[in-house]
Amino acid sequence: MTWRSVFRPALFAGNNDTRARLVQEVTALNRHAMVTLTDDKARIVHVNDKFRDATGYALDDLSGISMDRLYFEDDLSKMEDIRAGLDRGEPWSGETRLQCKQGNVLWTQATIVPRMDAKGNLVGSISVRTDITDNKMAAAQKELYTALHKLWDEVYMFDPATLRCTYMNEAALARKGWSVEDYTPENLATVSEDFETETFRTHVDTLVTGKDHVSYTAVIDSRPYDIRLQRVSPYAAREQLVVVLRDMSERVQAERAQAELMSTISHELRTPMTSIKGAMGLLLSNAAGELPEKARGMLSIAYRNADRLVMIINDILDIEKIAAGQMEFKLKVEPLASVIEEAVAANEQFANRFDVKVVKEEIDPDACADYDFGRTLQVLTNLLSNAAKFSPPGGRVRVYMERIGDRIRINVQDYGQGIAKEAQARIFERFAQASTTANRGVESTGLGLNIAKVIMEEQKGSIGLFSELGKGATFYAEFPAAVPAEVEQLKPVDRAV
């Protein structure tokens, strides 16, 4: 069926002048607008050349398919309303979106007229459309630009395919000393000669693989920036890449000042607190003579609080070192049994306070790893002290070693209340503490496990736990197995014969 067959009755009605005028009107309509003819099932029976050119489809692509296939899924409910009106013989006018063959959107102003038979039944429809995509895109761009133009952050918009910069807000223009009138679309060098285009393209490729947004940091013109890339698909417009540059200079300076202040305070506190704790320890050991029982009890409380303050100060200093990337490691390949022995001995008195016994089992004296002795001692001390705090009186803490493939795991197992599953996921985060009443009055900073996690990762190891409520918890520190240098040198050398 063609547009000529639809209009054939009118073409042969009336005199020659009327028929000639109608032919001219139909020809003009065909050249000006996109025309589609459908049957009573909304299947396409004809489209004119202008429709095919606008959508990119060939006639064979469209013939016999339902118009629904050209509409966006979000618009299908509107199409159902239009069809219901056509069934009643009512024409419809309004805006519609069509999907082109290449996937882009075609906005049209449409008039859809029903074709009825002599009995008033719908036999099809005629749709006449004009392309309003450019107008819709311009309106969408204007709304988007209005929202972005006054932001303090620098905002750039790029074409995702060509990475050609198509928009800069006032903050971005100010970097170049431009006004809105000065701006013309540019390439990536628009941002700065110092802008790392290869890094930028790598992150753009990440977006192409499916992510909606990605962030990274970079130094541009000697200033730190947080850079956020996001794909934006306005309702009417083509997909664009929005890049936001946020100057982090003030934030970095504030964080540095805060870190320096905390570090200074912590260092100034640690020296006198260590001396105070040492003096109280001497008094408790009767170095100055026997103490009355009441005085000993008060001094014991003060000693424990001094001990806690020293622990807090040390944790704060470690966190600041981690943040500044200044935590030092002196790695050496040696047996792990030696650091386990030291950790158990160092924590024996602490465990005795809670009437808990630490038991070593299955310790392989030949199991070696490349690790920092002092830092690993810090990790095991944290695990052992936590296990003692959360163990029942008269209980025990089991320390044992196992090999898992090419890795060596040190386990610290307690038989306390255990840790709820929802708490396990965040137990290694800063300031996280398991919610329980079984720590018997001993508080902590909530930093120890987070510091332990960083220490293990810096040594190419890992830390984790297994726990079930009512059955205790097992924390572990795991290292890649290593061979001592002297043993390595004794290995036989393969030689060709």
Side-chain angles (χ1 to χ4, degrees), residues 321-322 325-332 370-376 378-379 451-460 479:
K321 286 179 182 178
I322 290 168
Q326 296 175 349
M327 182 172 273
E328 297 180 356
F329 289 83
K330 297 178 181 178
L331 301 178
K332 182 181 178 182
D370 192 11
Y371 67 98
D372 181 299
F373 188 95
R375 292 297 180 188
T376 303
Q378 185 177 348
V379 171
I451 294 170
K453 179 175 183 289
V454 173
I455 290 173
M456 291 306 300
E457 289 174 348
E458 288 291 329
Q459 299 181 108
K460 298 182 180 179
F479 298 84

Side-chain angles (χ1 to χ4, degrees), residues 28 32 107 163 221 469:
H32 171 74
W107 277 90
L163 295 186
D221 298 334
L469 281 176

Side-chain angles (χ1 to χ4, degrees), residues 196-225:
E196 297 180 359
T197 56
E198 290 305 315
T199 302
F200 179 81
R201 290 177 188 274
T202 300
H203 288 290
V204 171
D205 291 341
T206 303
L207 286 178
V208 172
T209 60
K211 283 192 174 182
D212 289 331
H213 65 271
V214 65
S215 297
Y216 70 102
T217 58
V219 176
I220 304 172
D221 298 334
S222 302
R223 298 173 74 89
Y225 281 87

Side-chain angles (χ1 to χ4, degrees), residues 5 9 39 61 69 73 85 114 203 206 249 262-263 280 287 313 333 382 394 444 469:
S5 64
D39 62 15
D61 296 329
R69 290 177 57 182
E73 186 174 349
H203 288 290
T206 303
S249 301
M262 292 298 295
S263 180
M280 288 190 292
I313 291 167
V333 176
N382 183 277
S444 67
L469 281 176

Side-chain angles (χ1 to χ4, degrees), residues 155-403:
V155 180
Y156 302 81
M157 297 186 74
F158 292 88
D159 182 300
T162 64
L163 295 186
R164 181 168 171 263
C165 183
T166 58
Y167 167 78
M168 298 167 66
N169 73 343
E170 284 187 356
L173 291 169
R175 171 189 289 278
K176 308 293 288 188
W178 293 345
S179 66
V180 176
E181 292 74 23
D182 296 329
Y183 174 70
T184 54
E186 298 281 347
N187 58 24
L188 284 174
T190 294
V191 180
S192 168
E193 293 180 357
D194 197 24
F195 191 72
E196 297 180 359
T197 56
E198 290 305 315
T199 302
F200 179 81
R201 290 177 188 274
T202 300
H203 288 290
V204 171
D205 291 341
T206 303
L207 286 178
V208 172
T209 60
K211 283 192 174 182
D212 289 331
H213 65 271
V214 65
S215 297
Y216 70 102
T217 58
V219 176
I220 304 172
D221 298 334
S222 302
R223 298 173 74 89
Y225 281 87
D226 179 61
I227 302 176
R228 182 183 179 90
L229 288 68
Q230 184 158 354
R231 294 185 300 173
V232 175
S233 301
Y235 189 64
R238 297 182 181 90
E239 183 178 77
Q240 298 181 72
L241 181 63
V242 178
V243 181
V244 180
L245 271 63
R246 174 165 293 180
D247 190 340
M248 303 296 289
S249 301
E250 291 185 6
R251 177 178 168 181
V252 169
Q253 290 174 2
E255 290 176 348
R256 185 181 295 118
Q258 180 184 0
E260 290 174 355
L261 176 63
M262 292 298 295
S263 180
T264 300
I265 292 173
S266 299
H267 277 102
E268 292 298 322
L269 285 173
R270 182 161 64 172
T271 300
M273 283 307 306
T274 302
S275 298
I276 292 169
K277 180 186 170 185
M280 288 190 292
L282 289 171
L283 290 173
L284 287 170
S285 64
N286 297 324
E290 190 73 28
L291 291 174
E293 194 62 32
K294 189 173 182 180
R296 178 176 291 277
M298 294 175 66
L299 191 59
S300 295
I301 293 172
Y303 181 83
R304 287 196 295 271
N305 278 284
D307 190 42
R308 181 167 179 265
L309 279 173
V310 171
M311 179 189 69
I312 291 172
I313 291 167
N314 288 335
D315 282 351
I316 291 172
L317 287 172
D318 280 340
I319 286 293
E320 294 305 324
K321 286 179 182 178
I322 290 168
Q326 296 175 349
M327 182 172 273
E328 297 180 356
F329 289 83
K330 297 178 181 178
L331 301 178
K332 182 181 178 182
V333 176
E334 57 183 312
L336 284 165
S338 56
V339 74
I340 294 173
E341 292 284 349
E342 183 75 16
V344 170
N347 287 274
E348 187 174 12
Q349 185 177 355
F350 184 86
N352 290 339
R353 282 174 51 191
F354 299 99
D355 190 21
V356 172
K357 185 177 182 181
V358 180
V359 180
K360 301 191 299 290
E361 298 178 0
E362 304 171 28
I363 305 299
D364 182 354
D366 298 323
C368 294
D370 192 11
Y371 67 98
D372 181 299
F373 188 95
R375 292 297 180 188
T376 303
L377 179 62
Q378 185 177 348
V379 171
L380 295 181
T381 293
N382 183 277
L383 300 186
L384 286 166
S385 62
N386 282 345
K389 286 188 291 186
F390 291 100
S391 292
R396 69 187 182 113
V397 171
R398 180 172 171 241
V399 183
Y400 63 98
M401 184 187 294
E402 61 181 329
R403 284 185 179 268

Side-chain angles (χ1 to χ4, degrees), residues 415-431:
Y415 298 89
Q417 289 186 356
I419 301 170
K421 186 157 289 186
E422 58 271 16
Q424 293 180 29
R426 53 184 175 80
I427 198 72
F428 293 102
E429 297 175 4
R430 288 190 187 183
F431 307 110

Side-chain angles (χ1 to χ4, degrees), residues 429-453:
E429 297 175 4
R430 288 190 187 183
F431 307 110
Q433 299 187 42
S435 178
T436 178
T437 57
N439 62 351
R440 292 186 274 169
V442 179
E443 299 180 8
S444 67
T445 61
L447 295 172
L449 286 175
N450 178 259
I451 294 170
K453 179 175 183 289

